[in-house]
Amino acid sequence: MSRISDKFVELGKKRQSALVAYVMAGFPSDKATRAAVSGLIRGGADIIELGFPFSDPLADGPVIQNASNIALQKGASIERFFEMVRKIRKNTDIPLVLMTYSNILYHMGYLEFISKAVDAGIDGFILPDMPVEEAAEYKRAARGKAETIFLTSPNTSKARIKDIAGASGGFLYLVAVYGTTGTTTGIKEYTIQAIKDAKKQTRLPVGVGFGVSTPADVRRYVRAGADAVIVGSAFMRIIEKTPHESIESHIASFTKSLKKETLPDRRR
């Protein structure tokens, strides 16, 4: 069992869904990221997703693209990222997931990168540009070390959902909307149906992300049966607009408002 799996077991006993919170590492500074992570923990986030910046983040919307560009301009590097993770891990056992792009791992070598990331404290990986059909080397490198979390979407066939879920660990990531992260198009009925369909194809927890930005969004997805709700751009907007000394408290307050909607009474 990994920290991620353990967390879902723990939440299942409490009849809670997981709040998965994303922040971009190094935006606008390493210190700000650590403050944001502290706020997420204080606010009750269940899993933290740390983004590592990439020059061509195809799955990310403008808010996260901007954060990625700024982090790169300020000298983001793999070694600095691993050091940040080590500092975070000294103070918490919260599951940590790294979201980045395949080329970052490929450049160093899947096995070396994953080994270093896990040694620093990472529990799982999300690579939005990694197709299951091309993931054999990546999966071998991660086996027994970390969870590989793959993405599915509302128009993914039932057979393909099974294939993607079979390659996944921790949870299955359902992209809620067509497009990039941060899209604010409202909650679609096709997404609600996709949650129900995905849950019929796998025993893994199903997490919903992309376009989730308010407590009302979280509540709707929890009521639809989502085992986890993933929020990213909304946190990045807070970090972008908040003076450093207030980041932790602002993030904590917003996190609490989201986490409240994952509790048992919100399922009714």
Side-chain angles (χ1 to χ4, degrees):
M1 294 281 281
S2 68
R3 287 189 184 96
I4 299 171
S5 298
D6 288 344
K7 177 57 67 173
F8 279 105
V9 170
E10 173 194 331
L11 293 172
K13 291 177 180 177
K14 299 176 182 177
R15 296 183 57 249
Q16 294 182 22
S17 296
L19 174 63
V20 182
Y22 170 98
V23 292
M24 173 62 70
F27 172 77
S29 67
D30 292 357
K31 188 176 181 181
T33 302
R34 292 196 299 273
V37 167
S38 294
L40 294 173
I41 295 168
R42 276 180 51 193
D46 298 297
I47 298 171
I48 295 177
E49 191 179 323
L50 294 170
F52 182 79
F54 184 60
S55 57
D56 190 21
L58 298 176
D60 296 318
V63 174
I64 294 178
Q65 283 188 17
N66 178 63
S68 181
N69 289 335
I70 290 174
L72 288 171
Q73 290 168 11
K74 294 195 173 183
S77 71
I78 294 296
E79 292 308 321
R80 276 178 57 183
F81 175 80
F82 290 157
E83 181 58 28
M84 182 190 304
V85 173
R86 281 190 284 268
K87 289 179 179 178
I88 293 170
R89 182 54 76 209
K90 285 180 180 179
N91 298 312
T92 182
D93 281 329
I94 194 169
L96 298 175
V97 176
L98 167 57
M99 180 173 178
T100 190
Y101 289 82
S102 303
N103 195 51
I104 299 291
L105 281 71
Y106 178 80
H107 181 72
M108 180 181 289
Y110 291 116
L111 183 58
E112 182 179 356
F113 187 101
I114 290 171
S115 296
K116 287 186 174 182
V118 170
D119 183 65
I122 292 294
D123 301 296
F125 296 87
I126 298 172
L127 307 180
D129 61 340
M130 173 66 77
V132 169
E133 295 82 2
E134 299 174 15
E137 185 180 355
Y138 163 55
K139 285 284 294 176
R140 281 195 299 272
R143 187 173 296 126
K145 300 182 182 70
E147 306 284 17
T148 52
I149 300 161
F150 285 86
L151 284 71
T152 185
S153 66
N155 64 349
T156 303
S157 69
K158 293 179 181 178
R160 183 160 172 77
I161 291 172
K162 285 186 177 180
D163 290 340
I164 294 171
S168 296
F171 64 93
L172 181 66
Y173 194 134
L174 172 61
V175 174
V177 295
Y178 302 118
T180 59
T181 59
T183 305
T184 54
T185 58
I187 293 176
K188 306 296 184 182
E189 286 303 321
Y190 64 69
T191 309
I192 302 301
Q193 186 59 49
I195 295 170
K196 297 174 182 178
D197 291 343
K199 288 177 69 68
K200 291 177 182 178
Q201 305 306 316
T202 179
R203 293 183 178 181
L204 282 175
V206 174
V208 182
F210 284 48
V212 185
S213 59
T214 69
D217 293 339
V218 175
R219 185 187 319 124
R220 181 80 185 279
Y221 285 134
V222 167
R223 286 181 174 175
D227 302 296
V229 184
I230 303 145
V231 180
S233 294
F235 285 115
M236 301 310 298
R237 292 188 187 99
I238 292 173
I239 294 169
E240 188 175 49
K241 297 175 181 178
T242 305
H244 172 78
E245 62 273 13
S246 301
I247 287 176
E248 181 175 340
S249 61
H250 280 58
I251 291 290
S253 177
F254 183 57
T255 304
K256 287 178 183 177
S257 72
L258 299 174
K259 179 58 190 173
K260 182 179 179 181
E261 302 303 331
T262 70
L263 303 181
D265 61 337
R266 294 308 195 265
R267 293 180 177 272
R268 295 195 293 270

